Amino acid sequence: MPDFKTLRVEVDGRIGRLTLTQPGKLNPLGTVPLAEIAEAAAWFDTTDASIVIVTGEGRAFSSGFDLREFADTGPESADLGRVMADSMERMRALSIAAIKGPCVGGGIVLAAVCDLRVAADDTVFSIPEVDLGIPLAWGGIPRLTREIGPALTRELVLTCRPFDAEEARSIGFVNRVVPRAELESVVDELAEQLARKAPAVVAATKRQVHEALEDIAPTAGSWADAILLGAALRDPDARASAREYLDARK
């Protein structure tokens, strides 16, 4: 079993788990976590897992792109998010996001690449990238467009307004909303139910749905997101916005 720095993976029978393990930082997606998630997705394909639960330790799912790296290191890791997202979608196992607390920016993209999403009632989603002077990258725009439609994608990405779990369910982004105390048991029950089904049929259904979604809003051009993100990361105004955002959260 791989030994990662920022996440933990485990498999019990047909059920795998991928847990982000930086709760003190609200599980940010910096260069190391992004690379490790991609590696973990490939590793699950070598196991018997037909279902993988994706979640975060502590009170948050993920605070998204690590703004500490954004403000201090620049554009060299701009494409890692796309690689992570593509790797999760290509993973053979069906993925279930167990979402709670803050789910921000890149964290929403990570949730979006999961096949099913269950949110705790304390979840707060937000997409702050435009306020930071950077585009929503990693194929986030086409993935949101095909899940919630173009009008809501424009609104949520451009206004950067937060939205809660019930709104996320009403617009079709999450499958279920459950009390925070029941999130783990509900997701475990769902995973066990799906794990009893024929793995080949589950994997084929995942692949067929993904192919249909690619016809609706393809992500094949999301490599260009990295170019746009890299350009934004070199913009001093965007870097200043990131620092202001970090200072406001201290």
Side-chain angles (χ1 to χ4, degrees):
M1 191 171 296
D3 184 18
F4 294 116
K5 295 180 180 178
T6 64
L7 56 90
R8 180 175 63 253
V9 293
E10 50 197 314
V11 173
D12 182 6
R14 290 183 177 175
I15 299 177
R17 296 179 188 274
L18 188 162
T19 306
L20 302 175
T21 56
Q22 292 183 285
K25 298 179 180 179
L26 303 184
N27 302 315
L29 297 175
T31 55
V32 175
L34 290 173
E36 290 189 339
I37 292 170
E39 184 180 344
W43 176 77
F44 280 119
D45 280 350
T46 70
T47 73
D48 293 330
S50 60
I51 311 296
V52 172
I53 297 169
V54 180
T55 192
E57 266 189 4
R59 68 182 184 89
F61 180 72
S62 173
S63 57
F65 190 88
D66 193 335
L67 290 175
R68 284 164 289 269
E69 293 189 19
F70 167 56
D72 296 332
T73 64
E76 59 272 9
S77 61
D79 200 39
L80 282 174
R82 178 193 64 82
V83 173
M84 176 278 294
D86 289 350
S87 298
M88 287 295 294
E89 283 190 335
R90 288 195 303 266
M91 182 175 67
R92 182 184 66 249
L94 191 81
S95 52
I96 306 173
I99 312 167
K100 58 189 176 181
C103 181
V104 180
I108 289 181
V109 177
L110 174 58
V113 298
C114 292
D115 301 292
L116 297 172
R117 301 168 209 110
V118 180
D121 55 8
D122 68 344
T123 304
V124 178
F125 299 91
S126 63
I127 308 170
E129 275 77 356
V130 170
D131 278 350
L132 294 171
I134 61 175
L136 178 63
W138 308 355
I141 295 294
R143 288 183 171 99
L144 284 175
T145 297
R146 63 199 191 189
E147 296 292 339
I148 66 175
L152 277 169
T153 296
R154 291 189 198 100
E155 177 189 344
L156 295 176
V157 173
L158 291 172
T159 66
C160 306
R161 70 170 177 84
F163 55 104
D164 63 17
E166 280 300 334
E167 182 174 1
R169 184 195 58 77
S170 71
I171 64 178
F173 186 66
V174 301
N175 300 90
R176 302 183 194 176
V177 175
V178 300
R180 172 68 183 87
E182 298 176 15
L183 178 65
E184 184 174 352
S185 61
V186 168
V187 172
D188 284 351
E189 181 179 353
L190 177 60
E192 290 167 5
Q193 175 189 354
L194 292 168
R196 290 193 291 270
K197 302 180 186 299
V201 176
V202 171
T205 302
K206 169 175 175 159
R207 185 176 64 253
Q208 289 173 324
V209 172
H210 176 65
E211 290 172 354
L213 290 173
E214 282 293 305
D215 289 338
I216 296 170
T219 58
S222 60
W223 56 269
D225 289 358
I227 297 174
L228 294 172
L229 180 57
L233 291 172
R234 292 189 291 271
D235 187 324
D237 290 337
R239 294 169 72 86
S241 296
R243 292 191 178 90
E244 289 174 5
Y245 185 83
L246 286 171
D247 290 342
R249 296 177 65 187
K250 288 179 180 178

Short mmCIF file of all heavy atoms in Angstrom, two decimals, residues 137-203:
data_model
loop_
_atom_site.label_atom_id
_atom_site.label_comp_id
_atom_site.label_asym_id
_atom_site.label_seq_id
_atom_site.Cartn_x
_atom_site.Cartn_y
_atom_site.Cartn_z
N ALA A 137 -9.71 26.55 -13.33
CA ALA A 137 -9.00 25.66 -14.26
C ALA A 137 -9.34 24.20 -13.96
O ALA A 137 -10.37 23.89 -13.38
CB ALA A 137 -7.49 25.92 -14.15
N TRP A 138 -8.45 23.30 -14.40
CA TRP A 138 -8.56 21.87 -14.16
C TRP A 138 -9.79 21.25 -14.84
O TRP A 138 -10.30 20.22 -14.41
CB TRP A 138 -8.58 21.55 -12.67
CG TRP A 138 -7.48 22.13 -11.87
CD1 TRP A 138 -6.40 22.84 -12.33
CD2 TRP A 138 -7.33 22.07 -10.45
NE1 TRP A 138 -5.60 23.23 -11.28
CE2 TRP A 138 -6.14 22.78 -10.11
CE3 TRP A 138 -8.08 21.51 -9.42
CZ2 TRP A 138 -5.68 22.92 -8.81
CZ3 TRP A 138 -7.63 21.66 -8.12
CH2 TRP A 138 -6.45 22.35 -7.82
N GLY A 139 -10.31 21.90 -15.90
CA GLY A 139 -11.52 21.40 -16.54
C GLY A 139 -12.76 21.67 -15.72
O GLY A 139 -13.81 21.06 -15.95
N GLY A 140 -12.68 22.61 -14.78
CA GLY A 140 -13.81 22.89 -13.90
C GLY A 140 -15.02 23.43 -14.63
O GLY A 140 -16.17 23.06 -14.30
N ILE A 141 -14.82 24.29 -15.63
CA ILE A 141 -15.96 24.89 -16.33
C ILE A 141 -16.78 23.83 -17.07
O ILE A 141 -18.00 23.74 -16.88
CB ILE A 141 -15.50 26.00 -17.29
CG1 ILE A 141 -14.88 27.17 -16.49
CG2 ILE A 141 -16.66 26.48 -18.16
CD1 ILE A 141 -15.85 27.90 -15.62
N PRO A 142 -16.18 23.00 -17.95
CA PRO A 142 -17.02 21.99 -18.62
C PRO A 142 -17.63 20.99 -17.64
O PRO A 142 -18.77 20.55 -17.84
CB PRO A 142 -16.06 21.31 -19.60
CG PRO A 142 -14.68 21.66 -19.14
CD PRO A 142 -14.81 22.99 -18.48
N ARG A 143 -16.92 20.66 -16.58
CA ARG A 143 -17.47 19.69 -15.63
C ARG A 143 -18.67 20.28 -14.89
O ARG A 143 -19.67 19.59 -14.68
CB ARG A 143 -16.38 19.24 -14.65
CG ARG A 143 -15.36 18.33 -15.31
CD ARG A 143 -14.30 17.82 -14.35
NE ARG A 143 -13.49 16.80 -14.98
CZ ARG A 143 -12.29 17.01 -15.51
NH1 ARG A 143 -11.74 18.22 -15.48
NH2 ARG A 143 -11.63 16.02 -16.09
N LEU A 144 -18.59 21.53 -14.50
CA LEU A 144 -19.75 22.16 -13.85
C LEU A 144 -20.89 22.36 -14.85
O LEU A 144 -22.05 22.16 -14.51
CB LEU A 144 -19.35 23.50 -13.24
CG LEU A 144 -18.55 23.44 -11.94
CD1 LEU A 144 -18.11 24.83 -11.52
CD2 LEU A 144 -19.38 22.80 -10.82
N THR A 145 -20.56 22.74 -16.08
CA THR A 145 -21.59 22.98 -17.09
C THR A 145 -22.43 21.74 -17.32
O THR A 145 -23.67 21.81 -17.41
CB THR A 145 -20.95 23.44 -18.41
OG1 THR A 145 -20.27 24.68 -18.19
CG2 THR A 145 -22.00 23.62 -19.49
N ARG A 146 -21.80 20.59 -17.40
CA ARG A 146 -22.57 19.39 -17.67
C ARG A 146 -23.30 18.88 -16.42
O ARG A 146 -24.26 18.12 -16.54
CB ARG A 146 -21.69 18.31 -18.28
CG ARG A 146 -20.56 17.81 -17.44
CD ARG A 146 -19.51 17.11 -18.30
NE ARG A 146 -18.53 16.40 -17.50
CZ ARG A 146 -17.43 15.87 -18.01
NH1 ARG A 146 -17.17 15.98 -19.32
NH2 ARG A 146 -16.57 15.22 -17.25
N GLU A 147 -22.88 19.28 -15.23
CA GLU A 147 -23.57 18.85 -14.02
C GLU A 147 -24.73 19.78 -13.66
O GLU A 147 -25.80 19.33 -13.26
CB GLU A 147 -22.60 18.78 -12.84
CG GLU A 147 -21.50 17.75 -13.00
CD GLU A 147 -22.00 16.32 -12.96
OE1 GLU A 147 -23.10 16.08 -12.42
OE2 GLU A 147 -21.30 15.43 -13.48
N ILE A 148 -24.53 21.11 -13.78
CA ILE A 148 -25.54 22.05 -13.31
C ILE A 148 -26.05 22.99 -14.40
O ILE A 148 -26.95 23.79 -14.14
CB ILE A 148 -25.02 22.88 -12.12
CG1 ILE A 148 -23.88 23.80 -12.54
CG2 ILE A 148 -24.59 21.97 -10.98
CD1 ILE A 148 -23.39 24.74 -11.44
N GLY A 149 -25.49 22.90 -15.61
CA GLY A 149 -25.94 23.73 -16.70
C GLY A 149 -25.14 25.02 -16.83
O GLY A 149 -24.48 25.46 -15.89
N PRO A 150 -25.19 25.64 -18.02
CA PRO A 150 -24.36 26.82 -18.27
C PRO A 150 -24.76 28.05 -17.49
O PRO A 150 -23.90 28.83 -17.06
CB PRO A 150 -24.52 27.04 -19.79
CG PRO A 150 -25.79 26.34 -20.16
CD PRO A 150 -25.91 25.18 -19.22
N ALA A 151 -26.06 28.28 -17.30
CA ALA A 151 -26.49 29.51 -16.61
C ALA A 151 -25.98 29.55 -15.18
O ALA A 151 -25.42 30.56 -14.72
CB ALA A 151 -28.01 29.63 -16.65
N LEU A 152 -26.15 28.44 -14.45
CA LEU A 152 -25.69 28.41 -13.06
C LEU A 152 -24.18 28.38 -12.97
O LEU A 152 -23.59 28.95 -12.05
CB LEU A 152 -26.30 27.21 -12.33
CG LEU A 152 -27.72 27.44 -11.80
CD1 LEU A 152 -28.33 26.13 -11.35
CD2 LEU A 152 -27.72 28.44 -10.66
N THR A 153 -23.53 27.73 -13.93
CA THR A 153 -22.07 27.74 -13.95
C THR A 153 -21.56 29.18 -14.07
O THR A 153 -20.68 29.61 -13.32
CB THR A 153 -21.52 26.88 -15.10
OG1 THR A 153 -21.90 25.52 -14.89
CG2 THR A 153 -20.00 26.97 -15.17
N ARG A 154 -22.12 29.94 -15.01
CA ARG A 154 -21.72 31.34 -15.15
C ARG A 154 -21.92 32.10 -13.85
O ARG A 154 -21.05 32.85 -13.40
CB ARG A 154 -22.52 32.01 -16.27
CG ARG A 154 -22.21 31.53 -17.67
CD ARG A 154 -22.91 32.43 -18.69
NE ARG A 154 -23.00 31.79 -19.99
CZ ARG A 154 -24.07 31.18 -20.46
NH1 ARG A 154 -25.17 31.13 -19.72
NH2 ARG A 154 -24.06 30.63 -21.65
N GLU A 155 -23.11 31.93 -13.27
CA GLU A 155 -23.43 32.69 -12.06
C GLU A 155 -22.49 32.37 -10.91
O GLU A 155 -21.90 33.26 -10.29
CB GLU A 155 -24.87 32.41 -11.61
CG GLU A 155 -25.24 33.12 -10.31
CD GLU A 155 -26.57 32.68 -9.74
OE1 GLU A 155 -27.37 32.06 -10.47
OE2 GLU A 155 -26.81 32.94 -8.55
N LEU A 156 -22.31 31.09 -10.63
CA LEU A 156 -21.52 30.70 -9.46
C LEU A 156 -20.04 31.01 -9.65
O LEU A 156 -19.35 31.39 -8.70
CB LEU A 156 -21.73 29.22 -9.16
CG LEU A 156 -23.16 28.84 -8.74
CD1 LEU A 156 -23.28 27.33 -8.57
CD2 LEU A 156 -23.57 29.56 -7.46
N VAL A 157 -19.54 30.84 -10.87
CA VAL A 157 -18.12 31.11 -11.12
C VAL A 157 -17.85 32.61 -11.14
O VAL A 157 -16.85 33.07 -10.59
CB VAL A 157 -17.66 30.44 -12.42
CG1 VAL A 157 -16.24 30.85 -12.77
CG2 VAL A 157 -17.73 28.91 -12.29
N LEU A 158 -18.74 33.38 -11.75
CA LEU A 158 -18.49 34.81 -11.90
C LEU A 158 -18.79 35.61 -10.64
O LEU A 158 -18.08 36.57 -10.31
CB LEU A 158 -19.29 35.37 -13.08
CG LEU A 158 -18.82 34.89 -14.46
CD1 LEU A 158 -19.80 35.32 -15.53
CD2 LEU A 158 -17.42 35.41 -14.77
N THR A 159 -19.83 35.22 -9.90
CA THR A 159 -20.16 35.97 -8.67
C THR A 159 -19.32 35.53 -7.49
O THR A 159 -19.13 36.29 -6.55
CB THR A 159 -21.64 35.83 -8.30
OG1 THR A 159 -21.91 34.46 -7.95
CG2 THR A 159 -22.54 36.26 -9.45
N CYS A 160 -18.83 34.30 -7.53
CA CYS A 160 -18.04 33.72 -6.43
C CYS A 160 -18.84 33.59 -5.14
O CYS A 160 -18.27 33.43 -4.06
CB CYS A 160 -16.77 34.54 -6.17
SG CYS A 160 -15.73 34.81 -7.61
N ARG A 161 -20.16 33.65 -5.23
CA ARG A 161 -20.97 33.57 -4.01
C ARG A 161 -20.99 32.15 -3.46
O ARG A 161 -21.04 31.18 -4.21
CB ARG A 161 -22.39 34.06 -4.26
CG ARG A 161 -23.24 33.13 -5.13
CD ARG A 161 -24.70 33.56 -5.12
NE ARG A 161 -25.52 32.74 -5.99
CZ ARG A 161 -26.05 31.57 -5.61
NH1 ARG A 161 -25.81 31.08 -4.40
NH2 ARG A 161 -26.81 30.88 -6.44
N PRO A 162 -20.96 32.01 -2.14
CA PRO A 162 -21.07 30.68 -1.54
C PRO A 162 -22.48 30.11 -1.75
O PRO A 162 -23.45 30.85 -1.90
CB PRO A 162 -20.79 30.92 -0.05
CG PRO A 162 -20.17 32.27 0.02
CD PRO A 162 -20.74 33.05 -1.12
N PHE A 163 -22.58 28.79 -1.73
CA PHE A 163 -23.88 28.14 -1.76
C PHE A 163 -23.83 26.91 -0.86
O PHE A 163 -22.78 26.29 -0.69
CB PHE A 163 -24.34 27.79 -3.18
CG PHE A 163 -23.39 26.95 -3.98
CD1 PHE A 163 -23.63 25.60 -4.20
CD2 PHE A 163 -22.25 27.50 -4.55
CE1 PHE A 163 -22.78 24.81 -4.96
CE2 PHE A 163 -21.38 26.73 -5.33
CZ PHE A 163 -21.64 25.38 -5.53
N ASP A 164 -24.96 26.60 -0.24
CA ASP A 164 -24.97 25.54 0.77
C ASP A 164 -25.34 24.19 0.15
O ASP A 164 -25.59 24.07 -1.06
CB ASP A 164 -25.90 25.90 1.93
CG ASP A 164 -27.36 26.04 1.51
OD1 ASP A 164 -27.74 25.57 0.41
OD2 ASP A 164 -28.14 26.63 2.29
N ALA A 165 -25.39 23.19 1.00
CA ALA A 165 -25.62 21.82 0.54
C ALA A 165 -26.99 21.65 -0.09
O ALA A 165 -27.14 20.95 -1.10
CB ALA A 165 -25.43 20.84 1.69
N GLU A 166 -28.00 22.29 0.48
CA GLU A 166 -29.35 22.14 -0.07
C GLU A 166 -29.44 22.76 -1.45
O GLU A 166 -30.09 22.21 -2.34
CB GLU A 166 -30.38 22.77 0.88
CG GLU A 166 -30.76 21.89 2.05
CD GLU A 166 -31.38 20.55 1.61
OE1 GLU A 166 -31.96 20.48 0.50
OE2 GLU A 166 -31.30 19.58 2.37
N GLU A 167 -28.79 23.91 -1.65
CA GLU A 167 -28.79 24.49 -2.99
C GLU A 167 -28.03 23.58 -3.95
O GLU A 167 -28.46 23.38 -5.10
CB GLU A 167 -28.19 25.89 -3.00
CG GLU A 167 -28.22 26.52 -4.38
CD GLU A 167 -27.76 27.97 -4.43
OE1 GLU A 167 -27.38 28.51 -3.37
OE2 GLU A 167 -27.79 28.56 -5.53
N ALA A 168 -26.91 23.03 -3.48
CA ALA A 168 -26.15 22.11 -4.34
C ALA A 168 -26.99 20.91 -4.76
O ALA A 168 -26.91 20.45 -5.90
CB ALA A 168 -24.89 21.65 -3.62
N ARG A 169 -27.83 20.43 -3.85
CA ARG A 169 -28.72 19.30 -4.21
C ARG A 169 -29.81 19.77 -5.18
O ARG A 169 -30.11 19.08 -6.16
CB ARG A 169 -29.37 18.72 -2.95
CG ARG A 169 -30.22 17.48 -3.22
CD ARG A 169 -31.12 17.15 -2.04
NE ARG A 169 -32.00 18.27 -1.72
CZ ARG A 169 -33.10 18.58 -2.41
NH1 ARG A 169 -33.45 17.85 -3.47
NH2 ARG A 169 -33.84 19.60 -2.07
N SER A 170 -30.35 20.95 -4.95
CA SER A 170 -31.46 21.42 -5.78
C SER A 170 -31.02 21.69 -7.21
O SER A 170 -31.82 21.58 -8.14
CB SER A 170 -32.09 22.68 -5.18
OG SER A 170 -31.22 23.81 -5.31
N ILE A 171 -29.74 22.04 -7.41
CA ILE A 171 -29.27 22.30 -8.77
C ILE A 171 -28.63 21.07 -9.41
O ILE A 171 -28.16 21.13 -10.55
CB ILE A 171 -28.27 23.48 -8.80
CG1 ILE A 171 -27.00 23.16 -8.00
CG2 ILE A 171 -28.92 24.75 -8.29
CD1 ILE A 171 -25.95 24.27 -8.02
N GLY A 172 -28.59 19.97 -8.67
CA GLY A 172 -28.13 18.71 -9.24
C GLY A 172 -26.65 18.42 -9.07
O GLY A 172 -26.15 17.48 -9.69
N PHE A 173 -25.96 19.21 -8.23
CA PHE A 173 -24.54 18.95 -8.07
C PHE A 173 -24.28 17.81 -7.09
O PHE A 173 -23.30 17.07 -7.25
CB PHE A 173 -23.81 20.21 -7.60
CG PHE A 173 -22.31 20.04 -7.55
CD1 PHE A 173 -21.58 19.83 -8.71
CD2 PHE A 173 -21.62 20.05 -6.34
CE1 PHE A 173 -20.20 19.64 -8.68
CE2 PHE A 173 -20.24 19.86 -6.30
CZ PHE A 173 -19.54 19.66 -7.47
N VAL A 174 -25.09 17.65 -6.07
CA VAL A 174 -24.92 16.53 -5.15
C VAL A 174 -26.16 15.63 -5.22
O VAL A 174 -27.27 16.09 -5.51
CB VAL A 174 -24.66 16.98 -3.69
CG1 VAL A 174 -23.40 17.83 -3.62
CG2 VAL A 174 -25.84 17.71 -3.10
N ASN A 175 -25.96 14.36 -4.93
CA ASN A 175 -27.05 13.40 -4.98
C ASN A 175 -27.90 13.42 -3.73
O ASN A 175 -29.13 13.26 -3.81
CB ASN A 175 -26.50 11.98 -5.17
CG ASN A 175 -25.71 11.84 -6.45
OD1 ASN A 175 -24.50 12.04 -6.47
ND2 ASN A 175 -26.38 11.50 -7.53
N ARG A 176 -27.25 13.60 -2.59
CA ARG A 176 -27.97 13.57 -1.32
C ARG A 176 -27.37 14.58 -0.36
O ARG A 176 -26.17 14.88 -0.42
CB ARG A 176 -27.89 12.19 -0.65
CG ARG A 176 -28.41 11.03 -1.46
CD ARG A 176 -28.33 9.76 -0.63
NE ARG A 176 -28.50 8.56 -1.44
CZ ARG A 176 -28.40 7.32 -0.98
NH1 ARG A 176 -28.11 7.12 0.30
NH2 ARG A 176 -28.56 6.28 -1.78
N VAL A 177 -28.21 15.06 0.58
CA VAL A 177 -27.75 15.86 1.70
C VAL A 177 -28.19 15.14 2.97
O VAL A 177 -29.36 14.75 3.10
CB VAL A 177 -28.33 17.28 1.68
CG1 VAL A 177 -27.92 18.06 2.93
CG2 VAL A 177 -27.89 18.03 0.43
N VAL A 178 -27.27 14.94 3.89
CA VAL A 178 -27.57 14.20 5.12
C VAL A 178 -27.03 14.98 6.31
O VAL A 178 -26.13 15.82 6.16
CB VAL A 178 -26.94 12.79 5.09
CG1 VAL A 178 -27.49 11.99 3.90
CG2 VAL A 178 -25.42 12.87 5.03
N PRO A 179 -27.55 14.73 7.51
CA PRO A 179 -26.97 15.37 8.70
C PRO A 179 -25.49 15.02 8.83
O PRO A 179 -25.07 13.91 8.51
CB PRO A 179 -27.79 14.78 9.86
CG PRO A 179 -29.09 14.37 9.23
CD PRO A 179 -28.73 13.91 7.84
N ARG A 180 -24.73 15.98 9.32
CA ARG A 180 -23.27 15.80 9.43
C ARG A 180 -22.93 14.51 10.18
O ARG A 180 -22.02 13.78 9.78
CB ARG A 180 -22.65 17.02 10.12
CG ARG A 180 -21.17 16.87 10.46
CD ARG A 180 -20.33 16.84 9.19
NE ARG A 180 -18.93 16.64 9.49
CZ ARG A 180 -18.36 15.45 9.64
NH1 ARG A 180 -19.08 14.34 9.52
NH2 ARG A 180 -17.08 15.36 9.90
N ALA A 181 -23.65 14.22 11.25
CA ALA A 181 -23.34 13.05 12.07
C ALA A 181 -23.59 11.74 11.32
O ALA A 181 -23.07 10.69 11.71
CB ALA A 181 -24.15 13.09 13.36
N GLU A 182 -24.38 11.79 10.25
CA GLU A 182 -24.73 10.56 9.53
C GLU A 182 -23.95 10.39 8.23
O GLU A 182 -24.12 9.38 7.53
CB GLU A 182 -26.24 10.57 9.21
CG GLU A 182 -27.12 10.59 10.45
CD GLU A 182 -28.60 10.69 10.10
OE1 GLU A 182 -28.95 10.45 8.91
OE2 GLU A 182 -29.39 11.02 11.01
N LEU A 183 -23.09 11.37 7.90
CA LEU A 183 -22.42 11.33 6.59
C LEU A 183 -21.64 10.04 6.38
O LEU A 183 -21.79 9.36 5.36
CB LEU A 183 -21.49 12.54 6.44
CG LEU A 183 -20.68 12.60 5.14
CD1 LEU A 183 -21.60 12.75 3.93
CD2 LEU A 183 -19.66 13.74 5.19
N GLU A 184 -20.81 9.70 7.34
CA GLU A 184 -19.95 8.53 7.16
C GLU A 184 -20.76 7.25 7.02
O GLU A 184 -20.50 6.43 6.13
CB GLU A 184 -18.98 8.41 8.34
CG GLU A 184 -17.98 7.27 8.19
CD GLU A 184 -16.93 7.25 9.29
OE1 GLU A 184 -16.88 8.20 10.10
OE2 GLU A 184 -16.17 6.27 9.36
N SER A 185 -21.78 7.08 7.86
CA SER A 185 -22.56 5.84 7.81
C SER A 185 -23.38 5.75 6.53
O SER A 185 -23.51 4.67 5.93
CB SER A 185 -23.48 5.74 9.03
OG SER A 185 -24.41 6.82 9.07
N VAL A 186 -23.92 6.88 6.06
CA VAL A 186 -24.70 6.87 4.82
C VAL A 186 -23.81 6.53 3.62
O VAL A 186 -24.18 5.72 2.77
CB VAL A 186 -25.39 8.24 4.62
CG1 VAL A 186 -25.95 8.35 3.19
CG2 VAL A 186 -26.51 8.43 5.63
N VAL A 187 -22.63 7.14 3.58
CA VAL A 187 -21.72 6.86 2.46
C VAL A 187 -21.22 5.42 2.52
O VAL A 187 -21.12 4.75 1.49
CB VAL A 187 -20.55 7.86 2.45
CG1 VAL A 187 -19.50 7.47 1.42
CG2 VAL A 187 -21.07 9.27 2.15
N ASP A 188 -20.91 4.95 3.71
CA ASP A 188 -20.48 3.55 3.84
C ASP A 188 -21.56 2.59 3.36
O ASP A 188 -21.27 1.60 2.66
CB ASP A 188 -20.13 3.24 5.30
CG ASP A 188 -18.80 3.82 5.72
OD1 ASP A 188 -18.05 4.32 4.85
OD2 ASP A 188 -18.49 3.80 6.94
N GLU A 189 -22.81 2.87 3.73
CA GLU A 189 -23.93 2.00 3.30
C GLU A 189 -24.08 2.03 1.78
O GLU A 189 -24.29 0.98 1.15
CB GLU A 189 -25.21 2.46 3.98
CG GLU A 189 -26.42 1.60 3.62
CD GLU A 189 -27.69 2.06 4.32
OE1 GLU A 189 -27.62 2.95 5.18
OE2 GLU A 189 -28.77 1.51 3.98
N LEU A 190 -23.96 3.23 1.20
CA LEU A 190 -24.06 3.34 -0.26
C LEU A 190 -22.92 2.58 -0.94
O LEU A 190 -23.14 1.86 -1.93
CB LEU A 190 -24.02 4.81 -0.65
CG LEU A 190 -24.03 5.13 -2.15
CD1 LEU A 190 -25.29 4.58 -2.83
CD2 LEU A 190 -23.90 6.64 -2.37
N ALA A 191 -21.72 2.72 -0.39
CA ALA A 191 -20.57 2.02 -0.97
C ALA A 191 -20.74 0.51 -0.89
O ALA A 191 -20.45 -0.22 -1.85
CB ALA A 191 -19.28 2.45 -0.26
N GLU A 192 -21.23 0.03 0.24
CA GLU A 192 -21.45 -1.41 0.41
C GLU A 192 -22.52 -1.92 -0.55
O GLU A 192 -22.39 -3.01 -1.13
CB GLU A 192 -21.82 -1.71 1.85
CG GLU A 192 -20.65 -1.52 2.82
CD GLU A 192 -21.10 -1.51 4.28
OE1 GLU A 192 -22.32 -1.74 4.52
OE2 GLU A 192 -20.25 -1.26 5.16
N GLN A 193 -23.57 -1.14 -0.75
CA GLN A 193 -24.62 -1.52 -1.69
C GLN A 193 -24.06 -1.64 -3.11
O GLN A 193 -24.33 -2.62 -3.82
CB GLN A 193 -25.74 -0.48 -1.65
CG GLN A 193 -26.84 -0.70 -2.67
CD GLN A 193 -27.81 0.48 -2.73
OE1 GLN A 193 -27.73 1.40 -1.95
NE2 GLN A 193 -28.71 0.43 -3.69
N LEU A 194 -23.27 -0.67 -3.51
CA LEU A 194 -22.71 -0.68 -4.87
C LEU A 194 -21.63 -1.74 -5.03
O LEU A 194 -21.48 -2.31 -6.12
CB LEU A 194 -22.15 0.70 -5.20
CG LEU A 194 -23.18 1.82 -5.33
CD1 LEU A 194 -22.50 3.17 -5.37
CD2 LEU A 194 -24.05 1.60 -6.57
N ALA A 195 -20.90 -2.03 -3.94
CA ALA A 195 -19.83 -3.02 -4.02
C ALA A 195 -20.37 -4.43 -4.21
O ALA A 195 -19.63 -5.31 -4.67
CB ALA A 195 -18.97 -2.96 -2.76
N ARG A 196 -21.64 -4.63 -3.91
CA ARG A 196 -22.24 -5.95 -4.11
C ARG A 196 -22.62 -6.20 -5.56
O ARG A 196 -22.97 -7.33 -5.94
CB ARG A 196 -23.47 -6.11 -3.21
CG ARG A 196 -23.14 -6.22 -1.73
CD ARG A 196 -24.34 -6.68 -0.92
NE ARG A 196 -25.38 -5.67 -0.86
CZ ARG A 196 -25.48 -4.74 0.09
NH1 ARG A 196 -24.58 -4.69 1.07
NH2 ARG A 196 -26.46 -3.86 0.08
N LYS A 197 -22.56 -5.18 -6.38
CA LYS A 197 -22.91 -5.32 -7.79
C LYS A 197 -21.69 -5.77 -8.58
O LYS A 197 -20.55 -5.64 -8.13
CB LYS A 197 -23.45 -4.00 -8.33
CG LYS A 197 -24.68 -3.50 -7.56
CD LYS A 197 -25.21 -2.21 -8.10
CE LYS A 197 -26.34 -1.66 -7.23
NZ LYS A 197 -27.50 -2.56 -7.15
N ALA A 198 -21.91 -6.32 -9.75
CA ALA A 198 -20.82 -6.84 -10.58
C ALA A 198 -19.84 -5.72 -10.93
O ALA A 198 -20.24 -4.74 -11.57
CB ALA A 198 -21.37 -7.46 -11.85
N PRO A 199 -18.56 -5.84 -10.51
CA PRO A 199 -17.60 -4.77 -10.77
C PRO A 199 -17.47 -4.38 -12.24
O PRO A 199 -17.34 -3.20 -12.57
CB PRO A 199 -16.29 -5.35 -10.23
CG PRO A 199 -16.70 -6.34 -9.21
CD PRO A 199 -17.97 -6.94 -9.72
N ALA A 200 -17.53 -5.36 -13.13
CA ALA A 200 -17.38 -5.05 -14.55
C ALA A 200 -18.54 -4.20 -15.05
O ALA A 200 -18.35 -3.29 -15.88
CB ALA A 200 -17.29 -6.34 -15.36
N VAL A 201 -19.74 -4.46 -14.53
CA VAL A 201 -20.91 -3.69 -14.95
C VAL A 201 -20.84 -2.27 -14.37
O VAL A 201 -21.17 -1.30 -15.05
CB VAL A 201 -22.21 -4.40 -14.53
CG1 VAL A 201 -23.42 -3.54 -14.87
CG2 VAL A 201 -22.31 -5.76 -15.19
N VAL A 202 -20.40 -2.16 -13.12
CA VAL A 202 -20.24 -0.84 -12.50
C VAL A 202 -19.23 -0.01 -13.29
O VAL A 202 -19.47 1.16 -13.61
CB VAL A 202 -19.81 -0.98 -11.03
CG1 VAL A 202 -19.44 0.38 -10.44
CG2 VAL A 202 -20.92 -1.63 -10.21
N ALA A 203 -18.08 -0.62 -13.61
CA ALA A 203 -17.03 0.10 -14.34
C ALA A 203 -17.52 0.49 -15.74
O ALA A 203 -17.24 1.60 -16.22
CB ALA A 203 -15.78 -0.77 -14.44
#
